[in-house]
Amino acid sequence: MANNPEHYYVPEKSRMPVLMALAMATTGAGAALYLNTLGSEDPSAWLLILGVLGIIFVMVSWFNVVIQENHAELANAQVKQSFVMGMAWFIFSEVMFFFAFFFALFYIRLFSVDWLGNEGSKPGHDLLWPGFVSEWPLMQNPDPEAFPGPAETIPWYGIPTVNTLLLLSSSWTIHVAHQKLMEDKRKDFQNWMALTLGLGVIFLILQGYEYVHAYTDLGLTLKSGIYGTTFFLLTGFHGLHVTIGAIMLTIVLLRGYAGHFTPTDHFGLQAASWYWHFVDVVWLFLYLVVYIL
Amino acid sequence: MTQQTAAASTATAGAPAQGGAAAHHDDHHDHGPAKGLTRWLYTTNHKDIGTLYLLLTLVLFFIGGLFAMVIRAELFTPGLQFVEPNFFNQMTTLHGLVMVFGVAMPGFVGMANWQIPMMIGAPDMALPRLNNLSFWILPFAFLLLLSTTFMEGGGVNFGWTFYAPLSTTYAPDSVTFFIFAIHIMGASSIMGSINIIVTILNMRAPGMTLMKMPLFVWSWLITAYLLLLAMPVLAAVVTMMLMDIHFGTSFFNAAGGGDPVLFQHVFWFFGHPEVYILILPAFGIISEVLPTFSRKPLFGYASMVYAMASIAILSVLVWAHHMFTVGMPLAGELFFMLATMVIAVPTGVKIFNWVATMFKGSLTFETPMLFSIAFVVLFTCGGLSGLMLAIAPADFQYHDTYFVVAHFHYVLVPGVIFGMYAGAYYWLPKWFGFMYDETLGKLHFWLSFVSVNVLFFPQHFVGLAGMPRRIPDYALQFADYNMISSLGAFAFGLSQVIFLVVLMKLKSGAKATDKVWDEPQGLEWTLPSPPPYHSFTTPPKVEQ
C-alpha cells in the first residue's frame, strides 16, 4: 500500500532535482558572468536572473509536492524524523559557515593586525608600511591611499542594541507561537507568528538604515580596509540569513492561515523555528565580538 | 541475519506519481526502473544514483589523468618541451581539482550510495530526491570548472590550493567561474553528507546497533561529519576571495589591514580534514575486503571505530602543518607539529589491525585482496613520509618540493585509488550480477602496482635533493629520475585502460552467486546478485 506506515516512503522518480541542478548551475554561471562584466559597458545579468527565477520556481513546486505528500499521509514517522534530522545537520553546516568568518575576524584581531604593526615575533613590516600603527577598530590602514579608513565606526549602543532586543524577543515569540499550536489555539498561533515575522522585518529595516548611515555618513564601507570588510561581511552574511529566515516565517505564516499544521505534525514550523533561533544565537555572538568588544 | 523475504520485493512501498500525491493512492505496482534517459535524469533510486556517481568518477578520472600525462610529458626532459608555462600551471591546477573533487570524493559517494542502504537494511537513502540533486549538480560544476580553460585570459592557474593573492590579485578573470564551481561542488557535498548521516542514524534495520555496523558504514558516518565540518569553510574561503576580487574588501590584502596568510589558515582548516575525507572511506573498504579474503573476522573492530573517530577529531586540529614556512610563532609550529604526529597513533592501530586480520588467515589473492594488501603497504609508506614532513624543522627543507608531491600521491594513488579499486572489484559482481575477468583484474593490479612505484618513488629523491614542485622546467641533475618517473606515469595511465576493458567485458562474465565470495559478512550478501531495484522494503531483522 502506498501509505503503509510500516514502509519508508521512497518517492517515485522526480524531475525537480535535475531542474534544480540546472537552475543552480545557471545561477552560478550567471553570477560569475554578471560580476565579470560588471565594470564593463553592458553588464550581463540575464543569465543570473534566469537562474534565480528557476531556483524559486523549482523550490516552490518541490515544497508543494512534499507538503501534498505529507497531507496524503505518505510520510510516516520515520520519514518525518529524516526531515527533522536533515534540518538539524543543515543548521550545523551553517554554523560552520559562520565559524569560518568568525575565525577570520579573530585571526585578524588577535594576530595579523598586530603583526602588521610590528608587534610580536614578526619584525620587518615597518619597511613595507612605515608609520603604520595597529589598533582596533582599524581607522588607518597600512596603505591609506588604496584603502582609505573609515571616519567613524558604529557604536554598540543605539541600533545594534535595539536590534538585539528585537531578535531576542522574536525568538521568544516564535517559541510561544509553537506552544500555542501545540495547545491547538490556532488564532493565537497565527498572531504570535505574525508578531515574530514583524520583529524580524523591523530588524532588517533597521539594519538597512544602519548600512546606509555607515556608507553615507561614516565613510564605513566594504572598501575601507579590514574593519569594514569584517564588519560588513559578518553582519551582512547574518542579515542574509535573517532574510532567508523571514521568508521561511512568511511561508509558515501563510500555511498557518491556510489551515496547515496540527498540534502533533508541524515540521515546517519546527524547521523555521530552529533556523530562527540559530540566526538569533549567531547575532548574539556578532553583537558581542563585532559591536561591543 | 535473516534472509530478505521474497514478500519484501513484491510488497513494495508503491508510491504515487509525484505531483498528484493523493490521486493514485492505492496502486502497488512493483516498480522497477523506468526506461530511457529519464530513468537517469529523474531517478530517486540509490543504486541508479550510485551508478551515476561512479560513471562520472570514471570519466573525470581519465580527464584528470590526461592532465597528469601532460604534466609528466612536459617534465620528461629538462627545458620547455610541449606546453607554455601558464598552460602547465593550468594542468597542475585542474589535475588536482578534478582528482580531489571529481574522483576521490564522488567515487566514494557513489559506493556509499550503492552500499550503505544495503549494508544497514534500508529501502533507500533517507532523502532520495535530495540524493538526485547532490549528484546532478556535479556534472554542471565540472563543466563550469573545465570551461575556464577556454575563457579569455586563460583558465585557473594557481594550483589546486588556490593561495591568495595568486588567486585574487593576480588571477585570470575566469577565477569567478571557478569560485562558483567550487560553491556548487560544496553544496553537493553538504547535501550528500546530510543524506548519508540521516540514512545511517535513522534507517538502520532493527537490531543493528551502531557498534554492529559494517566498518564501511562507520567510515562514511565519520567522513560525512567531516564533510559537514569542512565544506562550509571552503565555501567561506571562496566567498572571501569573491569579495576581495569584486567588492573591494581586503581579507587577503595587507594594504587594507588583511593578511594573505589568513587565506592559508582558512583554506587548510578545510583542506586538512579534506584529506581524511578522501582516505577514510578507503579505510572502510579495506576493512571489509581483508576479512573476506583472510576468512577471519576483522581484528579489533571496536578499536578500528575509535581509531577512525580519533583520526577525524585530530584532523581538524592540525591544519597549519601545511604552512610551517609562512612564519608562524614558535608555539604554533610546535603545537601543529606535535598534534600531527599524534595522528600516527590511531593510524598505527589501523595498520596493526589490518595486518593482524591477515595473520594466520587462509588467504587467497583475488583482485580486491591484491589491491587491499598493496593499500596497506603503500599507504604506510605515504604515512611515513608524512611523518617526516610533520617535523617542522625538517619541513623547512622539504616544503614545496617533489618530496611533498611524492608523499601525498603515495597516500592518494595507492591509498585512495587502490582502495576504490578494491571496493569496485569486491562489489561489482554484487551490483551487476556478473563476475569480472580475474586474469584481467590481476593484470590491472600488477601493472598498476609496479608502475605506481616507478612513477612516484623517484620523486622522493628529487624532492629531497631540492626539486621544486609546480615548475615546468628543472635543473639537469634531476633529469634521470624525472624520466623514470614519467615512464612510470605513462605505464600507470595505460594500465588504467585495462579497467575499462574489465568493465566492458563484465556482462560476458560468469553469473555471480548471491554471496559472490566465500563467506563475506554483511546484509548486502543476503540479497541476490544483482540486488532487486528496491533492496530492503521491509527491514531485515539483525540477530543480537
Side-chain angles (χ1 to χ4, degrees):
Chain A
M1 290 293 288
N3 57 349
N4 186 341
E6 297 288 310
H7 288 316
Y8 193 91
Y9 171 61
V10 178
E12 275 280 17
K13 62 180 190 148
S14 159
R15 60 168 62 85
M16 288 171 307
V18 74
L19 286 178
M20 182 58 121
L22 189 63
M24 284 171 74
T26 311
T27 308
L33 186 68
Y34 175 64
L35 288 173
N36 274 0
T37 54
L38 195 56
S40 72
E41 280 165 16
D42 55 333
S44 136
W46 62 274
L47 198 62
L48 176 61
I49 296 169
L50 191 72
V52 173
L53 288 179
I55 289 184
I56 294 171
F57 172 74
V58 180
M59 272 185 105
V60 169
S61 35
W62 192 330
F63 282 119
N64 206 12
V65 168
V66 175
I67 292 167
Q68 279 182 29
E69 285 169 355
N70 194 42
H71 286 174
E73 294 181 355
L74 293 171
N76 63 10
Q78 199 185 7
V79 175
K80 286 171 188 160
Q81 179 66 12
S82 290
F83 291 159
V84 171
M85 292 166 89
M87 187 67 194
W89 291 112
F90 169 67
I91 291 178
F92 175 75
S93 76
E94 292 271 54
V95 169
M96 288 310 297
F97 210 155
F98 274 102
F99 168 83
F101 290 125
F102 277 104
F103 180 105
L105 177 70
F106 283 124
Y107 178 79
I108 281 157
R109 287 187 59 172
L110 294 176
F111 302 112
S112 72
V113 171
D114 285 347
W115 289 339
L116 273 176
N118 263 338
E119 286 172 42
S121 56
K122 309 181 84 176
H125 288 300
D126 51 346
L127 300 174
L128 266 174
W129 319 107
F132 172 71
V133 181
S134 63
E135 56 173 351
W136 194 266
L138 190 61
M139 309 302 278
Q140 184 81 15
N141 293 312
D143 184 352
E145 295 202 353
F147 294 94
E152 269 182 80
T153 60
I154 290 174
W156 64 270
Y157 49 87
I159 290 179
T161 305
V162 174
N163 267 346
T164 309
L165 295 174
L166 283 174
L167 270 195
L168 274 182
S169 32
S170 75
S171 231
W172 176 67
T173 54
I174 199 170
H175 178 68
V176 176
H178 194 170
Q179 285 198 318
K180 293 294 175 194
L181 178 69
M182 295 212 279
E183 295 163 13
D184 211 8
K185 294 178 180 159
R186 291 205 70 87
K187 196 71 213 158
D188 289 352
F189 155 65
Q190 290 161 3
N191 291 339
W192 284 98
M193 275 310 293
L195 182 59
T196 310
L197 178 62
L199 291 170
V201 171
I202 298 173
F203 172 92
L204 284 172
I205 292 171
L206 287 179
Q207 195 75 346
Y209 173 79
E210 190 187 68
Y211 277 11
V212 173
H213 174 60
Y215 258 80
T216 51
D217 304 333
L218 306 182
L220 176 62
T221 69
L222 278 169
K223 292 177 176 150
S224 55
I226 197 66
Y227 183 82
T229 297
T230 51
F231 174 82
F232 280 109
L233 205 74
L234 275 161
T235 57
F237 201 62
H238 175 264
L240 178 72
H241 281 75
V242 175
T243 311
I244 296 169
I247 295 170
M248 287 185 186
L249 294 180
T250 312
I251 291 164
V252 169
L253 184 63
L254 293 176
R255 287 185 64 193
Y257 285 134
H260 292 198
F261 305 126
T262 69
T264 50
D265 185 13
H266 45 257
F267 166 70
L269 167 64
Q270 193 182 355
S273 164
W274 279 2
Y275 198 79
W276 196 251
H277 289 315
F278 153 70
V279 294
D280 192 22
V281 172
V282 171
W283 174 261
L284 284 181
F285 282 104
L286 275 180
Y287 182 55
L288 194 67
V289 299
V290 174
Y291 290 100
I292 295 183
L293 295 179
Chain B
M1 288 155 221
T2 58
Q3 288 285 321
Q4 189 239 6
T5 53
S9 53
T10 48
T12 50
Q18 63 104 143
H24 317 275
H25 213 214
D26 52 3
D27 65 347
H28 49 110
H29 50 275
D30 184 9
H31 48 83
K35 296 278 180 289
L37 185 66
T38 60
R39 166 181 177 184
W40 302 103
L41 284 175
Y42 300 160
T43 182
T44 50
N45 183 281
H46 72 100
K47 300 188 182 85
D48 285 353
I49 295 172
T51 307
L52 285 170
Y53 265 112
L54 291 169
L55 278 175
L56 177 73
T57 305
L58 200 63
V59 170
L60 288 174
F61 182 57
F62 281 93
I63 293 177
L66 212 59
F67 297 155
M69 294 302 119
V70 174
I71 296 170
R72 282 318 319 175
E74 176 58 48
L75 294 175
F76 191 73
T77 50
L80 293 182
Q81 320 296 326
F82 306 105
V83 294
E84 293 289 305
N86 188 42
F87 188 76
F88 182 87
N89 288 346
Q90 293 180 35
M91 288 295 107
T92 55
T93 306
L94 288 174
H95 167 71
L97 289 168
V98 165
M99 287 301 191
V100 168
F101 292 101
V103 176
M105 292 170 78
F108 286 131
V109 178
M111 293 194 175
N113 256 296
W114 260 102
Q115 284 303 120
I116 288 177
M118 292 204 289
M119 287 178 139
I120 63 173
D124 205 293
M125 296 295 279
L127 306 161
R129 281 176 292 222
L130 191 72
N131 200 13
N132 177 308
L133 173 59
S134 314
F135 169 75
W136 272 110
I137 58 179
L138 275 183
F140 291 115
F142 282 97
L143 273 180
L144 209 55
L145 175 67
L146 294 174
S147 70
T148 62
T149 321
F150 305 104
M151 285 178 190
E152 213 177 312
V156 290
N157 57 2
F158 28 67
W160 88 272
T161 52
F162 50 100
Y163 278 13
L166 262 185
S167 61
T168 53
T169 316
Y170 305 106
D173 284 348
S174 57
V175 67
T176 319
F177 289 88
F178 157 85
I179 288 173
F180 285 102
I182 293 286
H183 265 307
I184 296 175
M185 290 172 204
S188 161
S189 287
I190 289 171
M191 291 188 288
S193 43
I194 288 176
N195 212 344
I196 286 170
I197 290 176
V198 174
T199 305
I200 296 174
L201 294 185
N202 194 33
M203 308 274 290
R204 295 193 310 281
M208 178 166 290
T209 55
L210 283 177
M211 290 308 278
K212 276 189 185 164
M213 293 196 310
L215 268 172
F216 180 66
V217 181
W218 255 117
S219 72
W220 249 112
L221 182 63
I222 294 166
T223 304
Y225 276 118
L226 277 183
L227 277 166
L228 273 194
L229 207 87
M231 295 314 283
V233 178
L234 175 69
V237 79
V238 291
T239 306
M240 291 186 224
M241 278 169 59
L242 188 76
M243 299 298 291
D244 270 14
I245 295 169
H246 289 290
F247 298 96
T249 58
S250 48
F251 280 109
F252 310 132
N253 191 341
D259 187 354
V261 177
L262 171 65
F263 174 91
Q264 299 183 24
H265 277 292
V266 186
F267 176 81
W268 285 114
F269 188 87
F270 145 79
H272 201 76
E274 170 71 12
V275 306
Y276 290 94
I277 288 164
L278 302 180
I279 198 69
L280 280 174
F283 285 177
I285 290 171
I286 301 306
S287 307
E288 301 290 333
V289 173
L290 285 179
T292 298
F293 299 99
S294 307
R295 287 151 187 88
K296 271 177 68 190
L298 184 76
F299 184 89
Y301 170 91
S303 64
M304 286 301 228
V305 174
Y306 297 136
M308 278 196 289
S310 326
I311 290 173
I313 291 167
L314 286 170
S315 76
V316 294
L317 300 173
V318 296
W319 72 88
H321 67 210
H322 296 267
M323 340 165 12
F324 281 141
T325 57
V326 295
M328 272 187 295
L330 186 62
E333 305 263 341
L334 280 173
F335 171 79
F336 287 109
M337 170 168 105
L338 296 172
T340 305
M341 291 183 161
V342 173
I343 298 187
V345 177
T347 313
V349 169
K350 298 195 75 69
I351 307 280
F352 178 86
N353 285 353
W354 286 325
V355 174
T357 302
M358 289 187 280
F359 184 66
K360 288 195 173 174
S362 7
L363 274 64
T364 50
F365 300 97
E366 286 85 347
T367 311
M369 182 64 163
L370 290 172
F371 274 110
S372 299
I373 296 173
F375 172 97
V376 174
V377 176
L378 295 181
F379 179 78
T380 308
C381 281
L384 289 174
S385 58
L387 268 179
M388 292 170 70
L389 288 163
I391 303 166
D395 182 73
F396 276 64
Q397 166 74 16
Y398 307 150
H399 188 88
D400 237 348
T401 66
Y402 253 86
F403 188 77
V404 180
V405 176
H407 155 68
F408 68 74
H409 279 92
Y410 255 86
V411 289
L412 286 175
V413 184
V416 173
I417 301 297
F418 276 22
M420 208 175 278
Y421 276 136
Y425 281 106
Y426 186 53
W427 285 315
L428 270 177
K430 167 53 67 184
W431 295 342
F432 300 110
F434 299 100
M435 291 305 288
Y436 61 87
D437 187 324
E438 189 65 53
T439 319
L440 275 181
K442 286 202 166 108
L443 185 70
H444 176 208
F445 166 75
W446 281 110
L447 285 175
S448 299
F449 176 77
V450 172
S451 59
V452 84
N453 285 296
V454 176
L455 163 54
F456 292 119
F457 213 80
Q459 297 183 358
H460 289 112
F461 305 135
V462 288
L464 288 178
M467 175 173 161
R469 59 189 284 211
R470 289 175 170 164
I471 310 275
D473 192 4
Y474 50 84
L476 293 177
Q477 71 266 30
F478 304 129
D480 290 350
Y481 281 132
N482 269 292
M483 192 176 281
I484 295 170
S485 183
S486 287
L487 289 173
F490 303 143
F492 184 80
L494 278 177
S495 315
Q496 304 322 303
V497 179
I498 300 172
F499 185 64
L500 286 185
V501 180
V502 169
L503 289 181
M504 280 187 281
K505 284 187 64 183
L506 193 64
K507 280 216 156 169
S508 54
K511 287 287 288 172
T513 58
D514 291 1
K515 277 194 177 302
V516 183
W517 312 108
D518 250 3
E519 279 302 320
Q521 298 298 308
L523 286 175
E524 75 266 38
W525 309 106
T526 66
L527 292 169
S529 304
Y533 197 57
H534 293 280
S535 355
F536 290 104
T537 323
T538 306
K541 294 268 185 301
V542 179
E543 282 163 23
Q544 295 304 308

